[in-house]
Amino acid sequence: DRANASVISQTGNLSEANVRQRDDAQSSTIAQSGTRQRAMVSQGVEGSADNSYGNISAIKQAGSANLATVSQFGRNGNSTVDQNGVENTAWVEQVAGTRNNTAYIAQTGSKQQAIVYQTGNSNEGVITQADRDNFARINQPGSRNFAEINQSGTPQIGVVDQIGNSNGALVEQRGSHQYANVNQTGNGNNASAKQSGTRQVALTYQSGNGNLSDITQGGTAQYAEVNQSGNNNTSTISQTGHATNAAYVFQTTNGNM
């Protein structure tokens, strides 16, 4: 068995760090500066027959009243949380029975919320948030998926659900009052939603295999919806202007563009 390791460094006032490690080869690092920071890490499952080992967590907090919660109950998970600002919240969970998942959350500004929830294997979830009042969630029940959400402005909402395998998703939001949702239940799909301006909505649903969707929105009050249930389809939507444009793409057979 390999020993567990925990390092906590605190400067400032009224901060709290809590680390609980079970099984073996767990590593946790927490660095807190500022005031009223809270960090909670739980690694490993007691009595798991050596099936929840080798997890790594790193949390860095600066500013005040930030909260980071990391739960790693699988094998060889990796989590990094970097918070710099006021009243940001980050939550990472890698459930029991999983392995080789990676989560990364970086928050600057105030009152951001970021969630990475991984119940499959070999997934990677990345969230970066700047400014204030943004919300991002990545849910990865499948395996070998990659998802990235980048937000700057206020307030943005970005959601990615990857229930299938080997999917890729990118959400980029800059401006204000954007909403993007990517849902992938098939395999080998790729989707991107890039939003700038204000009051955009981008929805992508991919239940087939090998589909590609690309949505780009600028200006004001655009709406785009893509639904691909066939295989090897391609959809590209580009919207600009300051009127309310709406685009709908529904592809249920194979090889459409």
Side-chain angles (χ1 to χ4, degrees):
D1 291 347
R2 291 170 291 171
N4 297 313
S6 175
V7 177
I8 298 173
S9 174
Q10 296 173 310
T11 59
N13 302 306
L14 303 173
S15 292
E16 177 184 349
N18 187 314
V19 178
R20 189 170 187 176
Q21 296 174 315
R22 302 178 182 87
D23 211 331
D24 55 15
Q26 317 287 7
S27 174
S28 171
T29 303
I30 298 173
Q32 297 172 313
S33 62
T35 61
R36 293 182 290 116
Q37 314 284 15
R38 293 181 63 199
M40 293 176 285
V41 176
S42 183
Q43 296 175 311
V45 178
E46 190 171 356
S48 66
D50 202 36
N51 204 32
S52 61
Y53 56 83
N55 296 296
I56 300 173
S57 171
I59 296 173
K60 182 179 179 181
Q61 296 174 311
S64 65
N66 295 299
L67 171 63
T69 303
V70 176
S71 300
Q72 297 176 304
F73 302 131
R75 300 198 314 262
N76 299 317
N78 197 310
S79 172
T80 301
V81 175
D82 191 341
Q83 297 173 309
N84 190 343
V86 179
E87 295 183 5
N88 296 301
T89 300
W91 183 71
V92 174
E93 182 164 356
Q94 298 165 332
V95 305
T98 63
R99 61 184 182 275
N100 301 323
N101 288 306
T102 300
Y104 176 84
I105 296 173
Q107 298 171 310
T108 59
S110 62
K111 297 183 178 180
Q112 323 274 5
Q113 296 183 60
I115 299 169
V116 177
Y117 184 57
Q118 296 171 315
T119 60
N121 300 316
S122 302
N123 295 299
E124 183 174 356
V126 177
I127 296 173
T128 60
Q129 296 175 310
D131 292 320
R132 61 176 295 153
D133 296 321
N134 295 305
F135 174 84
R137 177 180 62 79
I138 295 173
N139 176 34
Q140 296 174 312
S143 296
R144 301 179 302 280
N145 295 298
F146 175 83
E148 181 175 355
I149 299 175
N150 300 316
Q151 298 173 314
S152 62
T154 179
Q156 324 280 6
I157 298 176
V159 176
V160 175
D161 292 287
Q162 295 175 313
I163 303 167
N165 303 317
S166 302
N167 296 297
L170 171 65
V171 173
E172 292 187 350
Q173 297 174 309
R174 294 176 175 83
S176 64
H177 298 90
Q178 321 279 13
Y179 177 79
N181 189 321
V182 176
N183 186 290
Q184 298 171 313
T185 60
N187 302 317
N189 298 297
N190 283 282
S192 67
K194 300 176 183 178
Q195 299 172 310
S196 61
T198 184
R199 301 188 185 282
Q200 323 287 9
V201 176
L203 307 175
T204 304
Y205 306 99
Q206 295 175 314
S207 58
N209 302 319
N211 296 298
L212 175 64
S213 171
D214 186 5
I215 298 173
T216 303
Q217 297 173 312
T220 304
Q222 318 289 355
Y223 181 93
E225 182 175 348
V226 176
N227 193 318
Q228 297 173 315
S229 58
N231 301 321
N232 302 312
N233 297 300
T234 299
S235 171
T236 303
I237 296 174
S238 180
Q239 298 172 312
T240 59
H242 298 281
T244 304
N245 297 307
Y248 303 86
V249 175
F250 298 91
Q251 299 183 134
T252 60
T253 56
N254 302 323
N256 297 298
M257 297 185 67

